Amino acid sequence: MKHNKTQLTPEERKLFGDLMPEELEEVIQSGFNRRHFIKLMSLATAGLLASHAIGAEQLFARSIEDEAIADLIPEAVENGITINLKVNSGAKKVLVDSRMTLLDTLRERIGLTGSKKGCDHGQCGACTVIVDGQRVLSCLTLAATCEGKSVITIEGLAKDNVLNPMQAAFLKHDGFQCGFCTPGQICSAVALMKEAKEGNLSYLTEDISSEATPVMLSNKEIAERMSGNICRCGAYPNIVAAIKEAQSGKNITQNWLFAG
């Protein structure tokens, strides 16, 4: 498949020129791919993107080059079924084993590897995606149950090279370290904003008899409602700050600073 040359913004070109010069020509010729994304994440965790914040935000918001879904011979798939679903606003038709999970379908058949397989038992939350507006554990969700539904993964949150406010807040507050759990954390947090707007109850809700009204989340409420998403690096205070800023729209003071 022939790629058109990728048009980089001045900020993106400067970032590659300063920090990843060996990748610049490849990105221009072939597009921004997962290897570039992973390298960019490693620079972010090392704190090297502070002077290239605009270019980094634009690159994080870029869509990774689409890959065609590989055709499988129906006879080679045990219990094969074809499902039709919408993934990140694009229609997908995929042949899968009827027992295949949504997580494996996204990663192995559709090529969206942002959603991570952590425990594979529904306990860590790294695989969280949004199905018809609700956050679900994709490692425990059969792909077959998603027929006709809308699935949003971490790759589908940014729009037109503009980060979702939750993604921007996570970057600002350094809501990640190794980054493995981050896609699930962010998807869970985005869905949480909808739950709070609808007035959904939690374990900490004091009055469960009143009519559901939008909830402005406290730090304790955020921690409780995000308890299904584990961060083994312990970035919880920064994650809470990011979610609070994204919901309130108010500037939350960062609890960390770059040295120097």
Side-chain angles (χ1 to χ4, degrees), residues 22-33 35-36:
E22 70 282 0
E23 308 286 359
L24 179 57
E25 188 61 28
E26 180 185 348
V27 172
I28 293 174
Q29 295 295 334
S30 303
F32 185 62
N33 61 36
R35 182 169 57 79
H36 304 137

Side-chain angles (χ1 to χ4, degrees), residues 93-239:
K93 183 177 181 180
V94 195
L95 173 65
V96 298
D97 187 304
S98 62
R99 299 160 296 183
M100 196 171 194
T101 65
L102 176 59
L103 175 61
D104 286 339
T105 301
L106 291 170
R107 291 180 58 84
E108 308 299 335
R109 297 290 289 112
I110 300 178
L112 296 174
T113 56
S115 305
K116 297 299 187 285
K117 180 177 285 193
C119 65
D120 207 25
H121 286 76
Q123 296 177 347
C124 72
C127 68
T128 304
V129 298
I130 304 170
V131 177
D132 283 353
Q134 304 296 320
R135 46 182 170 167
V136 304
L137 297 167
S138 60
C139 76
L140 296 183
T141 303
L142 289 176
T145 66
C146 296
E147 170 69 30
K149 295 183 179 180
S150 171
V151 179
I152 298 176
T153 70
I154 189 67
E155 293 92 341
L157 292 179
K159 302 296 182 185
D160 299 323
N161 280 356
V162 177
L163 290 176
N164 180 283
M166 190 64 71
Q167 292 174 299
F170 265 69
L171 280 174
K172 172 185 173 181
H173 290 279
D174 198 28
F176 53 87
Q177 289 186 36
C178 78
F180 186 86
C181 73
T182 307
Q185 297 274 4
I186 292 178
C187 284
S188 187
V190 169
L192 172 57
M193 295 300 96
K194 178 175 179 290
E195 294 169 12
K197 186 176 181 180
E198 294 173 349
N200 288 8
L201 306 179
S202 79
Y203 177 76
L204 294 179
T205 303
E206 294 183 359
D207 184 4
I208 62 173
S209 61
S210 60
E211 184 178 349
T213 56
V215 179
M216 184 56 65
L217 300 173
S218 65
N219 287 1
K220 288 185 177 180
E221 277 276 10
I222 293 172
E224 163 62 25
R225 292 171 186 255
M226 289 291 294
S227 60
N229 291 85
I230 296 173
C231 173
R232 291 177 175 86
C233 298
Y236 297 118
N238 298 351
I239 291 171

Side-chain angles (χ1 to χ4, degrees), residues 63-113:
S63 295
I64 295 175
E65 292 297 318
D66 289 336
E67 298 178 2
I69 299 176
D71 291 328
L72 295 178
I73 302 173
E75 292 76 13
V77 180
E78 188 176 4
N79 303 307
I81 60 170
T82 298
I83 59 172
N84 296 274
L85 65 164
K86 184 183 290 184
V87 181
N88 298 333
S89 300
K92 300 291 183 182
K93 183 177 181 180
V94 195
L95 173 65
V96 298
D97 187 304
S98 62
R99 299 160 296 183
M100 196 171 194
T101 65
L102 176 59
L103 175 61
D104 286 339
T105 301
L106 291 170
R107 291 180 58 84
E108 308 299 335
R109 297 290 289 112
I110 300 178
L112 296 174
T113 56

